Amino acid sequence: MNTKSYLALIAIDLKLAMRRPAVIFFNYLFPLMFFFIFGIFFSASNVPNKIVQVLSMSIALGVLGNGLFGAGLRAIQERELNILRRYKVTPITPIPLLLGSMVTGWVIFFPYIVVIFALSHLIYHMPWPSNMVSILAFISIGQLAFRALGLVIASVANSMQEGTVLVQLCYFPLMFLSGATFPAQMFPGWLKVVSKFIPATYLVNGVHELMVENHSLMQEWAAIAALLTTIVAGTIVGMKLFRWEKDEKIRTSAKLWILAVLLPFLILGIREAYK
């Protein structure tokens, strides 16, 4: 597949994505709503550390929505509506579609990041970070990792109903146990240990440390390694289990691939828990 065809595929994917209300809601409206709620709740005005906490939490919510709902449920819907079936008759493999979805998700999500940083600066007077390139690179890696996880969920779900259940089973623990809705400092001791096994925890903490402690990407190497492994593993699993038509079903045991993709965070959680 040449570059021109690949760019055309991404352009089509973007047009289809922007026609879906759920894409706008989970990528922009939902996390922005929580951004302002968190800002009021934590009295973040003129307190740099508090607005960074709010920013980290809001970014994590946006990443989760973009990955699990934006990639996962949308891919299932396209299979259910026989949109993928139309691609099957063309000389195309699953890889361009999976990579196209990853690129589309990033393009859709990036304006939200720009807006939320601008709001943090203009409304809450947060100084612009000196290591902005590193922060944006880290967020991009995290976004692609959760996008890959969403595509794995789409690959193992046999129907929209089943996919919705799987997305919610992943989304709510990631949202509530990672510090994305309640600061991890408020967790009891046992829950702090549990949070170390939650992938989104490393996204929240990574953004916070890059901004507050001015960390470099190298200092976040463990989290970045886990996120990059998830991107690679998720893409491979998504390709292996890809189905063009809704009548194609896979075994229930195939859902264990979700756990396999999350294995890097199990290893990272054990490492952090026994430091």
Side-chain angles (χ1 to χ4, degrees):
M1 189 174 185
N2 59 42
T3 303
K4 186 176 180 180
S5 299
Y6 186 65
L7 291 175
L9 177 64
I10 292 174
I12 292 170
D13 201 33
L14 278 170
K15 289 179 181 178
L16 291 174
M18 296 309 294
R19 291 176 183 173
R20 300 180 186 277
V23 171
I24 304 300
F25 179 76
F26 284 108
N27 279 280
Y28 301 109
L29 300 182
F30 184 72
L32 271 176
M33 177 182 68
F34 272 93
F35 172 76
F36 289 111
I37 291 173
F38 291 151
I40 295 170
F41 181 79
F42 292 109
S43 302
S45 296
N46 299 311
V47 184
N49 281 358
K50 287 188 177 181
I51 187 55
V52 169
Q53 181 72 51
V54 169
L55 188 64
S56 303
M57 295 162 70
S58 302
I59 288 171
L61 286 175
V63 167
L64 292 177
N66 179 277
L68 300 184
F69 289 93
L73 291 187
R74 184 181 164 219
I76 298 170
Q77 188 175 38
E78 288 181 350
R79 188 172 65 229
E80 293 276 300
L81 295 174
N82 287 323
I83 293 175
L84 296 181
R85 186 180 182 182
R86 298 171 189 172
Y87 286 115
K88 186 179 181 181
V89 299
T90 65
I92 193 173
T93 65
I95 280 290
L97 295 176
L98 294 173
L99 294 180
S101 176
M102 303 276 274
V103 173
T104 298
W106 185 87
V107 172
I108 290 173
F109 184 67
F110 195 78
Y112 166 73
I113 297 300
V114 174
V115 167
I116 205 169
F117 270 96
L119 290 174
S120 298
H121 176 71
L122 296 172
I123 297 176
Y124 296 105
H125 311 291
M126 182 192 78
W128 289 103
S130 59
N131 57 342
M132 195 68 180
V133 173
S134 295
I135 293 168
L136 293 177
F138 182 81
I139 294 171
S140 296
I141 293 170
Q143 184 268 333
L144 292 173
F146 286 97
R147 192 85 181 174
L149 178 59
L151 291 174
V152 171
I153 293 174
S155 298
V156 303
N158 283 321
S159 65
M160 177 58 78
Q161 183 179 10
E162 186 179 319
T164 301
V165 171
L166 287 173
V167 164
Q168 291 176 345
L169 285 175
C170 290
Y171 181 74
F172 288 109
L174 290 173
M175 184 172 68
F176 289 115
L177 301 179
S178 64
T181 47
F182 301 100
Q185 298 92 320
M186 298 171 61
F187 291 173
W190 65 270
L191 193 53
K192 287 182 180 179
V193 175
V194 171
S195 71
K196 295 182 185 300
F197 294 87
I198 304 298
T201 297
Y202 298 97
L203 181 66
V204 176
N205 292 347
V207 173
H208 189 269
E209 289 169 358
L210 283 164
M211 294 189 66
V212 174
E213 301 179 25
N214 204 31
H215 276 192
S216 66
L217 289 177
M218 287 302 297
Q219 289 173 288
E220 299 296 326
W221 69 267
I224 290 174
L227 291 168
L228 288 174
T229 304
T230 300
I231 294 171
V232 174
T235 303
I236 292 172
V237 171
M239 179 181 64
K240 178 181 174 64
L241 301 179
F242 189 88
R243 287 165 292 150
W244 299 97
E245 302 184 31
K246 62 180 179 180
D247 294 331
E248 300 176 60
K249 307 296 181 183
I250 60 173
R251 297 187 305 273
T252 303
S253 59
K255 292 170 181 56
L256 295 175
W257 280 109
I258 298 176
L259 299 179
V261 174
L262 294 175
L263 182 60
F265 296 99
L266 174 62
I267 297 171
L268 189 55
I270 293 172
R271 173 182 176 271
E272 292 295 317
Y274 287 95
K275 264 188 176 181

